[in-house]
Every structure is written in C-alpha cells, then in structure tokens.
Amino acid sequence: MMNASLKEAILSLLPRVQAPAQYIGGELNSVAKDHRQVRGRLCLCFPDAYSLGTSHHGLQVLYTLMNDDPQWACERVFAPWLDMEAELRRAALPLYGLETFTPLCDFDLIGFSLQYEVCYTNILTMLDLGGVPLHSKDRTLDDPLVIAGGPGAQNPEVLAPFIDLFVIGDGEESLPWIMDRWMSLKEKRRAGGVSPLISRADMIAELVGNTTWAYAPMFYEPEYHADGTLAAMNRTRSDVPTEVMACTIKQDFDAFPLPKRPIVSWVQTPHDRIAIEIMRGCPWQCRFCQSTVIKRPLRVRSVETIVKAALDSYRSTGYDEISLLSLSTSDYPYFEELIQRMHEVFTPLGVNVSLPSLRVNSHLRSVPKLMKDARKSGLTLAPEVARDDMREQIRKPIRNDDLYDACRDAFSNGWQKVKLYFLCGLPGERAVDLDGIVDMAQRIASISKQASGRYREVTASVSNFVPKPHTPYQWNGMQTREYLRWAGHHMRRRNNMRCVKIKQHDVECSLLEGVLTRGDRRVAVALEEAWRRGARMDGWRECFQPQLWWNAFADLGVDPAFYSHRARPLDELLPWDHVNVKKGREYLEKEQNRSLVQLHVMADAK
C-alpha cells in the first residue's frame, strides 16, 4: 500500500470524527493505481462534503474517463467536515487523495469542480490542508497545477488569485488534453529539453496559448474607473488569448461513454442511486437560467445507449434506483420511448426509475401513466413562476392546465406528494406573483384531495433569485435583504393549508451567493479574510456564519451592494466579459432589452 504510514495516522484520528467512513477510501468501483506505473497523477477535488460530492455525476464521469486511460492515476478528495479539519491540523497531517492516501501537494494536477459559489472557502481549506500554496503566484514547479471548471468558472475572477487555470465548458475533451500537455511540459523540462530558466508561469502560458478555452488569470490585470467599475482587462503577455471561448463536445454524444462502474459510497448520500445523463443542454432559453446558456448546444444520447449504461451500472453496483438526469428531462426527444424501455428492463429487476425536476409540458401529462409501476414517493416540478405575464418575462412558456392535469393523474395513480420549485425576487416581481405561488400550491393540494380522497403534501420550494453571469439578467440587480425577507413572510402568512409547505432558501446565504457570483478580483481578498476568520462549509445551515462575512466585507472596504444589488448599464464592462460563452454578449443584450419592454408592459397593466 502506498503511503501506508499516512493511512495509519489518518485511521487513528477517525474514532474522534463523525461519519469516519467518508475518509477511508476503498469504496466499491473506486480505482487505486500504483503511481510508479503511470505517467501522471491527478486528483479531482469536490469542495463540499463527501455525502454530496461522491454522488455528483460530473465527478463520476471525469473519474471514469481519466482512469480508463492507463497513462493516468485519477483520485478523489472532498472537503473534510469541521471536526476532521481540526483533527488534521492538530496532528499536522495533510489532506489526501482517497485512493492511495497521497497528499494533495504530491499530485501533478488537482482540479476543482465549481458547482456552488458559497462553497469557495472550502477550496482554500483543501489547498491549505493539502500543502499547496493558496496563491498561484507562490507555487513552484514542485507544486501541482491547480485547475477549476464547472458553472462557477463562468465568472472566474473571484477565485483568480487561487487558481492557475480555469477550464471553460465541457470537461470530457479538455481535461485529458490539459493533463497530457502539462505532463509533456514537465517531462520535457526533466529531460533537459527546456531551459531551466523557463518558469512555471511560462509553462502555463504555453499551455493556454495552444487552446481557446483555458483561462490563466495570472496573465490578466484588471483596470478600474474612479467609480469602481471595470475599465479594462489587460493582458500582461501577448502569447495568451485576448478572450476565452467555451470548450464544447462536437462529437456524437454517445461517443463519450457513461460511467458503467460508478463508485458506491460507504455512507448514505442524498442521491443514493445510479445517475444517467440522458441529455446535455436545454431546448429552451429561459432568461434567468445560466445552465441553458453555458451548456449549449443541445446534445442527446440514444435510448439504447442510456438503457445499456443503466444496466451495466446496476450490475456493477446493486443500486435499486436509477435517476435520469438533464436540465429538462421531459424535453428529451424520445422521452416516452425511453421511459417505456427503462420499465421493460428494470421493473422485473425491482429497480425504480426516477425523474429529477421536470419541465411542465405536454409530455408531463404522460408521466403518471408511463411510470404506473414505479415506486411513487413524489413528483418534482419546476414551474418557476405562477402567472402567465411573469412567464413571458422570464421566457418560460408553460401551461398551468398541463401542470394541474399531471398532478391529478399522479395523485390518482398513487403519488404521495408534489414538490414545486419557484423563484422570488425576479425582475418586475409583484405581490400578485407571490400570491400566485401560494395559490398554485394550494390548488394542487385541493386536486390531491379530489383525486385520492385525502390531502397530500405539497411543498413550494422558493429560491431567492441571483442574476447570473452570461444570462440576459446579468445586468439586473439582486433584490435586497428586506424585500426577500418580506416576500417569504408574505407567502407563509398567506398560506392557510396545513398540507402546503412554503420553504424559502436562506436569505443571508443567497445574499452571499450574489456577491461571490457577480464579484471581481477585489472580492477575493474578502473571501480569503472570511476564510481566515473561520468561514467553512457555508452551504450548510449549521456551519454558515453570515455576520462573519459581512464583518469581513466591511473591514476590508468591500461593498456587497456594489456587486449584488446594483443594476448595471448595458455598456458597462463586466468582470466576466472576457469569458465568451456560447451565444455571446450581443444575444444577451437583445434579450435584456426585450425583457425591459415587457417589464414596462407589466407595470402599465397594474
């Protein structure tokens, strides 16, 4: 066993921490390779708890892809919980890859998946515990290349001091390319083919200079106007791109195999099932949604590819549930055929097929009939808003009748509950829009009584809207703390049915997300300061300390409202404008102007 002494030391800590199984590795289908037999070593870093990260589909995809190549040893690491962090620091032990207990600092490359901006302090924890210098400028050629990708990379500036290289777009083609190119540069240097005067920065510049989708922030210097807005993003060397485009898989989507031996966690996770991505992208263009922009173009897998991958995964794991993933699963072009085939294959095996949040469309009405033999716990739907004029504003054309009919059929066929996803704080939102959320949830509850003879549970899960980069709403300001608190109170007070639950996302957490999502490099200083003051696991209610963040911002002169609440003129240069995603700024401006026209119409109709 490699690193046996570190493993033994780690095991001695585990009686003092919660859920020790998350720190021992060795799970079914994990892959531990002898580092002496491979060309390069990389570690995929998920900056959140093991219970969330270990079942993340994207991580499983990249882990399988890289380990299928005999050149590479690919391992995993997750953010340790607070008790384990304290034990590692007390014992002066490093954070390590789960497969071989190799310290993070000994890998050739470590890659962070940026799924949720509020988790950014966990990145600093993992780097620091792993023995990797926090700041890119302080790393040497003995340190790993630190890269990051995912939704958070669409605005890379808040993490710019800490990340060597951001990957924009799909990872299936970009990660193997970067790994191969980085190892080639290191091998060339070791063999004496590169002058010893060539620096680590020079090697990174050569890497990004040979592609269009890799962004190394160390080679770009922001310049600001007197009012604090961005004046320019200046390159500090001419051999790196002026702007960065997204990497997009252009091959047949079926050509990139799905994981057939997904890792089975030692501990129960919120997503304790097989996940199969059936489609990437979305056929719709909702103005609030960042994913529909950054995941374009639409790419689908064939029914047979999906069924075969699901069957292989079942045989290699024993899971009794399969979840079909996409941004809009009911918009999959062969939806009914897929559901029928999945039930033909898996119902005899006692395996349940589940669907994530569904778009309300004509296919939705067929779901209860198609899934009549499935275990019926809950139906999850994403209407986002409840009124037609607001739907026109956000560009989500759905029909309430489709929603109500589907719920009626679901309750008649044994479904026990319905969960609805909504947004509050959207541009132009009115009290009647909030009332509509409550009215819709209550009407569905009444339908459950009519269809099943008793009231079933209906939950309206309300997220506080954060305008995201690369969406038409990126110029809009986020609603204030006072408004969001009032909106939640208004909906809860208006609800008078016990079977209806109104759950609003934590307002303080949403406000922090607004700053970290829309910030520039000046926010990075406050991020590091909050981390040094103890900010950890901020996405978890029991760990989040909002006042710590607001004090750090105030002490360092960072104004959260400047980033999150301020509406920005269309001609303002935005911190993420040099990252060019899919349709580009011209399309976003056109959609923003159309939304402003519709907002005036809504206001006049009051």
Side-chain angles (χ1 to χ4, degrees), residues 419-440:
K419 184 175 185 179
L420 306 165
Y421 286 123
F422 292 100
L423 292 167
C424 79
L426 285 160
E429 184 172 83
R430 306 147 299 182
V432 292
D433 297 303
L434 303 174
D435 295 342
I437 291 173
V438 180
D439 293 344
M440 177 175 280

Side-chain angles (χ1 to χ4, degrees), residues 135-165:
H135 297 104
S136 179
K137 63 181 177 61
D138 295 328
R139 295 175 195 140
T140 71
L141 283 167
D142 292 328
D143 295 307
L145 181 71
V146 180
I147 72 171
Q154 310 309 318
N155 176 18
E157 293 307 296
V158 172
L159 290 175
F162 316 112
I163 303 296
D164 295 323
L165 191 75

Side-chain angles (χ1 to χ4, degrees), residues 473-532:
Y473 287 154
Q474 66 180 355
W475 292 277
N476 290 79
M478 183 180 175
Q479 282 286 6
T480 63
R481 172 184 288 105
E482 293 72 25
Y483 175 85
L484 294 173
R485 286 180 175 171
W486 169 83
H489 178 70
H490 177 84
M491 288 183 285
R492 290 189 294 270
R493 183 180 58 192
R494 197 174 189 280
N495 177 37
N496 56 15
M497 295 181 72
R498 290 181 61 187
C499 64
V500 172
K501 304 288 189 293
I502 308 292
K503 295 185 177 179
Q504 184 184 24
H505 190 71
D506 183 84
V507 170
E508 297 299 311
C509 190
S510 297
L511 293 170
L512 176 60
E513 181 186 352
V515 180
L516 298 179
T517 299
R518 297 160 59 79
D520 55 34
R521 295 194 191 188
R522 293 168 294 187
V523 174
V525 182
L527 167 67
E528 183 175 343
E529 179 62 21
W531 173 75
R532 293 191 182 281

